[in-house]
Amino acid sequence: LDRESLKASMENTYSALTIEPVEAGYELGGGATPSVSVTPGREGRRIEEETFFSELEAGLFEGDHEYAVPLSSARPELTTARAERLKPTNLLLLPHQLRGRA
């Protein structure tokens, strides 16, 4: 079984089943009292290629014609919960931002 050729021919299936994780982030809110808010992260989804190809190779010799594509979740490095824990509670203002503040 040529795994690279199979993967290339299944590109549409891969793209439909694969979702990249989204890292949480921070957003600075403006106004009189600027604040920091967390932009949410999101888990993604990946195909477990080794498991899938191993099952496919074994099944082809046993006459199997249907296969389930094994998926696993892909966690972002910075999750929403972790970003909330690490979020700064005080903003540091630069000298030019302090002008006009008491």
Side-chain angles (χ1 to χ4, degrees), residues 1-3 52-62 67:
L1 180 67
D2 183 349
R3 292 181 178 202
F52 176 59
F53 287 135
S54 295
E55 290 175 4
L56 186 62
E57 284 174 330
L60 287 174
F61 295 109
E62 296 173 7
Y67 301 91

Side-chain angles (χ1 to χ4, degrees), residues 14-33:
Y14 265 62
S15 64
L17 295 175
T18 302
I19 301 170
E20 289 300 317
V22 174
E23 302 290 326
Y26 299 102
E27 192 172 89
L28 180 61
T33 39

Side-chain angles (χ1 to χ4, degrees), residues 4-75:
E4 290 304 312
S5 294
L6 182 59
K7 187 175 177 179
S9 68
M10 294 180 61
E11 189 174 325
N12 289 338
T13 303
Y14 265 62
S15 64
L17 295 175
T18 302
I19 301 170
E20 289 300 317
V22 174
E23 302 290 326
Y26 299 102
E27 192 172 89
L28 180 61
T33 39
S35 63
V36 175
S37 61
V38 173
T39 57
R42 165 181 101 228
E43 280 192 2
R45 184 173 61 201
R46 293 206 168 99
I47 296 171
E48 294 179 20
E49 287 183 358
E50 286 303 313
T51 302
F52 176 59
F53 287 135
S54 295
E55 290 175 4
L56 186 62
E57 284 174 330
L60 287 174
F61 295 109
E62 296 173 7
D64 292 343
H65 300 289
E66 292 183 20
Y67 301 91
V69 178
L71 301 173
S72 63
S73 63
R75 291 180 166 254

